[in-house]
Amino acid sequence: VAKLNLTEIILRALGLKVDPVTHFRQFTYPRGGMGLLYERMAEAVRGSGGRVETGVTIERLVQERGRIAQVVYRAADGSPQRVECEGVVSTIPLPVVVRYLDPALPAPVLEHAKRLRYRSLQFCYVVVHAEQVMKFHWCYLLDRWYKCNRVSEQKNVDQGMIGDGRTVLLFEMSCDKDDPVWHAGDEGLRRIVEEDIAHSKLLDPSAIEGFFSRRVEYAYPVYKLHFENDLFPVLEALHSFDNFLS
């Protein structure tokens, strides 16, 4: 991860090769991918007698006397569920989680939450008939003609994640929910990614074997000027529940 260095920027602008000054040159990555961390966490919960449910839909966080007393949700099979709780740890985006409180939070708090902005992400996966495409794990695409922000090759941190003779490039594309990119299907996204590949000359397009995408609505918070005027009232309201962490 490179440090911002004005001297280095000037030398590079003059076409001179310089070694970048970095914060660090190595990092630790779990074999099998980041999902392994959460699998181990789930195993620890089950090992201590707990239960892990995925694919559920939260409907309400019932508050009583300054605490979250119950979580009301629908299980993966659609059945209604209700669980009493001693505490809640939430990673749900703030504009979403405030809507679950029952009784509702004060109207001004909900208005503040609505004004918190996030950027969304389209994750575009390109399956390539090649052992390796890049020598590095990720590369930021900064020139103005690129639609994608970054490309990474997961196989470069764990060779065992993908079989021999194949690799996968992940192109990340940030957008807003109202952007055409957010509503584009795989066909439209693939065209955009292939244009970026043509600009970058990363690989021969004929080596592409497949394409699929995933998307995240609340990916990056937007720190606009005076954003704290909206953020702090929301956090204060949520932290007023002594058994709720967000």
Side-chain angles (χ1 to χ4, degrees):
V1 177
K3 294 181 178 179
L4 184 62
N5 185 292
L6 182 57
T7 301
E8 181 184 327
I9 292 173
I10 294 173
L11 291 175
R12 285 181 180 276
L14 295 173
L16 301 176
K17 185 177 180 180
V18 294
D19 291 329
V21 179
T22 61
H23 290 285
F24 51 86
R25 293 180 178 272
Q26 295 180 334
F27 62 95
T28 302
Y29 194 89
R31 293 197 178 277
M34 294 301 295
L36 184 66
L37 297 178
Y38 308 104
E39 292 171 5
R40 293 291 185 266
M41 291 169 63
E43 290 174 5
V45 170
R46 296 187 182 103
S48 63
R51 186 175 79 248
V52 176
E53 290 193 47
T54 58
V56 306
T57 302
I58 302 296
E59 295 185 339
R60 288 184 295 139
L61 299 174
V62 181
Q63 55 161 308
E64 294 178 2
R65 296 186 294 277
R67 295 173 59 83
I68 305 300
Q70 296 178 334
V71 177
V72 179
Y73 65 97
R74 288 197 174 273
D77 62 4
S79 61
Q81 303 289 329
R82 180 187 298 261
V83 59
E84 296 185 0
C85 56
E86 295 182 0
V88 173
V89 178
S90 170
T91 60
I92 301 172
L94 295 177
V96 177
V97 74
V98 295
R99 300 199 298 261
Y100 294 148
L101 272 295
D102 181 20
L105 293 173
V109 174
L110 299 179
E111 286 301 317
H112 283 300
K114 286 180 182 178
R115 289 195 287 268
L116 294 174
R117 286 191 55 213
Y118 287 75
R119 291 281 280 171
S120 303
L121 266 182
Q122 288 277 19
F123 293 100
C124 302
Y125 297 87
V126 179
V127 183
V128 183
H129 182 70
E131 194 64 42
Q132 184 185 42
V133 174
M134 306 187 300
K135 294 182 179 180
F136 36 84
H137 173 47
W138 60 64
C139 176
Y140 288 88
L141 306 175
L142 303 179
D143 292 300
R144 64 183 181 276
W145 50 75
Y146 288 117
K147 299 295 192 301
C148 299
N149 310 108
R150 182 171 70 172
V151 57
S152 58
E153 188 168 3
Q154 208 67 27
K155 194 173 185 179
N156 289 341
V157 293
D158 184 357
Q159 292 287 324
M161 293 184 67
I162 304 170
D164 294 339
R166 299 290 186 279
T167 188
V168 176
L169 298 180
L170 166 58
F171 287 82
E172 300 174 37
M173 199 181 317
S174 61
C175 61
D176 291 323
K177 289 188 296 182
D178 296 329
D179 290 348
V181 166
W182 179 250
H183 301 285
D186 276 4
E187 184 177 344
L189 293 172
R190 179 168 181 165
R191 284 198 299 269
I192 295 172
V193 170
E194 288 180 343
E195 289 176 3
D196 279 2
I197 289 174
H199 281 302
S200 66
K201 298 180 173 59
L202 270 176
L203 60 103
D204 184 340
S206 65
I208 298 175
E209 291 191 341
F211 180 93
F212 61 96
S213 67
R214 300 290 184 269
R215 62 185 191 173
V216 176
E217 182 174 348
Y218 296 92
Y220 297 122
V222 176
Y223 298 119
K224 62 182 181 180
L225 191 63
H226 305 308
F227 76 96
E228 68 275 10
N229 293 338
D230 290 316
L231 176 63
F232 290 171
V234 175
L235 291 177
E236 183 178 355
L238 292 174
H239 293 166
S240 66
F241 303 106
D242 60 15
N243 66 336
F244 183 87
L245 294 176
S246 176

